Amino acid sequence: MGTLSKRKDIPPWVKIPDDLKDPEVFQVQTQLLEAMFGVGGSRIPYIERVSKVMLELKVLESSGLAEVVVYGSYLYKLRAKWMLQSMAEWHRQRQERGMLKLEDAMKALHLGPWMK
């Protein structure tokens, strides 16, 4: 757990060392990180505070994915993981719907067969 030593500001609701054992980990598309956590992770402190967990983000090089690591007591980290996975799925679906609307708009711009 070399990444834990980098974080000096472990929230007071995280009990050391018990809550730092066995974190919940899931992967999310890197393109969704800003929508979920704000610019530069600005929403992370709020999410941590209301969820009573500690979060770490690790971008996985060349895969387009990031790992979200959730530390905390058993129930809090499971609840936070579920909430964050739901948020990621909502943002992914929203992005997908936007792409479909864009495709429909681009198709609508082709006014006649001479434009193909």
Side-chain angles (χ1 to χ4, degrees):
M1 303 256 172
T3 58
L4 286 180
S5 60
K6 293 179 185 175
R7 180 145 182 183
K8 304 284 188 221
D9 61 334
I10 295 175
W13 51 83
V14 175
K15 296 176 186 78
I16 301 171
D18 296 336
D19 289 348
L20 299 179
K21 297 176 190 169
D22 196 30
E24 290 292 322
V25 180
F26 66 97
Q27 294 181 344
V28 65
Q29 297 171 351
T30 53
Q31 62 193 21
L32 300 177
L33 290 177
E34 187 171 312
M36 292 175 63
F37 298 111
V39 178
S42 61
R43 290 189 203 123
I44 290 176
Y46 175 77
I47 293 169
E48 288 180 330
R49 190 171 59 252
V50 298
S51 300
K52 302 274 190 260
V53 296
M54 181 175 82
L55 302 174
E56 284 187 345
L57 303 178
K58 300 175 185 177
V59 176
L60 304 175
E61 298 299 321
S62 74
S63 69
L65 296 172
E67 274 189 347
V68 179
V69 184
V70 184
Y71 299 95
S73 69
Y74 181 73
L75 288 177
Y76 287 141
K77 69 183 173 186
L78 286 180
R79 188 181 318 154
K81 178 184 175 185
W82 176 84
M83 181 211 40
L84 292 169
Q85 286 177 317
S86 297
M87 280 176 58
E89 181 61 16
W90 184 84
H91 283 292
R92 188 196 62 73
Q93 288 177 354
R94 184 171 178 246
Q95 187 178 57
E96 189 176 291
R97 283 191 305 270
M99 291 303 292
L100 291 174
K101 286 181 183 177
L102 179 61
E103 286 176 12
D104 289 343
M106 290 176 70
K107 287 177 186 174
L109 288 176
H110 295 167
L111 302 175
W114 64 88
M115 305 257 327
K116 291 184 180 179

